Amino acid sequence: LLYTLSGELSLQPRNSLSLVSAIVALVEFGGSNDKIMEIAGDDAWGYCMKAIQKDVDRRMSTTPSKRKRGSSSSPQPTNSSLIVASAIEFFVTYIRASLVSDSAEEKAEFVLKRGEDLKRIFARLTKFMNSEKAPDVVRKTSAVQFCRLCDTRLGLTEKFVSDSLLEAFSKVLSERSQIQDSLVHEYRCFLTGRGVFGSEASPRPNQAPSLQFVALFMLVDSKL
């Protein structure tokens, strides 16, 4: 089944909803077992990286819409937007499955293998979440998954999250929108060790966020 799902990623038309189903299936399987990602992950990783890059190129060459950020009247997401959002979720699930339970040696090996891709993923998440051209579903997914990559147990923030990336994240966090509400929810889970930040997602105990990360959320008025 997993090999079939990976094969589907190269066989389906780029805007097919079957791609969304295939990627989401990999996310659901891989989120509970890092060995599954070892079997099917590499092919899917390559495809999703291309899909996101194509979407970046396409959006950078089009005129931004006049829709106000956070507007409740946003259009329905297109197939292309759903593919990008599911690809982002796949990347973060793959990364978390590979790092959250690994030894220091295994983490170092993963970062060495995927280091350049990790830089691109962090950069693209911040670009998507701050882009007026990106649909709400892509912006929200990018912001939430960026937050999940800042899980202290992953050990990625010091190496890959620069001050400029945190500044870009803070701009999204300051918006009064559904994205802000979702980020506040993620932060509360981060603080209390629930959801993906808790023991149900890893045998390792929850670790507190960095003081720099905490400071960003302390600026979000009365929600905290």
Side-chain angles (χ1 to χ4, degrees):
L1 174 59
L2 292 170
Y3 283 119
T4 300
L5 287 172
S6 291
E8 284 291 298
L9 297 178
S10 60
L11 295 174
Q12 295 291 340
R14 193 170 72 85
N15 288 337
S16 171
L17 279 176
S18 296
L19 279 175
V20 178
S21 300
I23 298 171
V24 168
L26 282 176
V27 169
E28 291 299 318
F29 281 122
S32 60
N33 192 323
D34 60 334
K35 299 302 180 185
I36 289 176
M37 284 299 190
E38 290 180 12
I39 296 171
D42 281 349
D43 290 342
W45 181 285
Y47 175 84
C48 290
M49 185 62 71
K50 290 178 182 177
I52 285 183
Q53 183 56 53
K54 286 179 181 178
D55 198 77
V56 169
D57 294 341
R58 180 173 63 82
R59 294 189 189 284
M60 293 304 106
S61 64
T62 58
T63 303
S65 82
K66 299 298 183 180
R67 175 178 57 85
K68 184 180 179 181
R69 279 188 178 185
S71 170
S72 59
S73 59
S74 58
Q76 291 296 313
T78 62
N79 288 1
S80 177
S81 299
L82 292 174
I83 289 171
V84 172
S86 60
I88 291 169
E89 290 188 359
F90 165 79
F91 281 131
V92 175
T93 300
Y94 189 114
I95 293 166
R96 290 182 58 83
S98 300
L99 293 179
V100 79
S101 301
D102 284 353
S103 65
E105 293 78 9
E106 290 172 322
K107 281 186 177 181
E109 183 180 348
F110 179 85
V111 171
L112 180 63
K113 178 182 178 181
R114 300 291 189 187
E116 290 303 313
D117 283 344
L118 288 170
K119 291 179 184 178
R120 294 188 190 99
I121 289 167
F122 273 108
R124 285 168 191 169
L125 291 183
T126 52
K127 179 175 287 187
F128 279 140
M129 71 176 78
N130 281 286
S131 173
E132 294 182 357
K133 302 174 184 178
D136 283 351
V137 65
V138 174
R139 294 190 65 235
K140 178 179 177 180
T141 300
S142 298
V144 167
Q145 298 303 326
F146 180 94
C147 188
R148 292 181 178 185
L149 284 181
C150 291
D151 188 338
T152 311
R153 295 173 296 181
L154 305 183
L156 296 176
T157 52
E158 289 187 6
K159 186 174 180 64
F160 296 103
V161 182
S162 63
D163 290 342
S164 61
L165 292 186
L166 285 177
E167 182 181 359
F169 178 71
S170 70
K171 291 179 181 178
V172 179
L173 182 59
S174 66
E175 292 181 16
R176 293 184 179 276
S177 65
Q178 291 182 352
I179 296 176
Q180 185 191 69
D181 293 339
S182 296
L183 289 175
V184 168
H185 172 75
E186 289 293 314
Y187 179 67
R188 286 171 174 166
C189 289
F190 201 163
L191 287 178
T192 57
R194 294 182 289 117
V196 299
F197 299 99
S199 58
E200 63 265 41
S202 168
R204 297 180 62 193
N206 174 53
Q207 289 183 265
S210 67
L211 292 178
Q212 193 175 21
F213 198 74
V214 171
L216 295 178
F217 281 87
M218 293 305 295
L219 299 175
V220 184
D221 57 24
S222 60
K223 289 182 181 288
L224 295 173

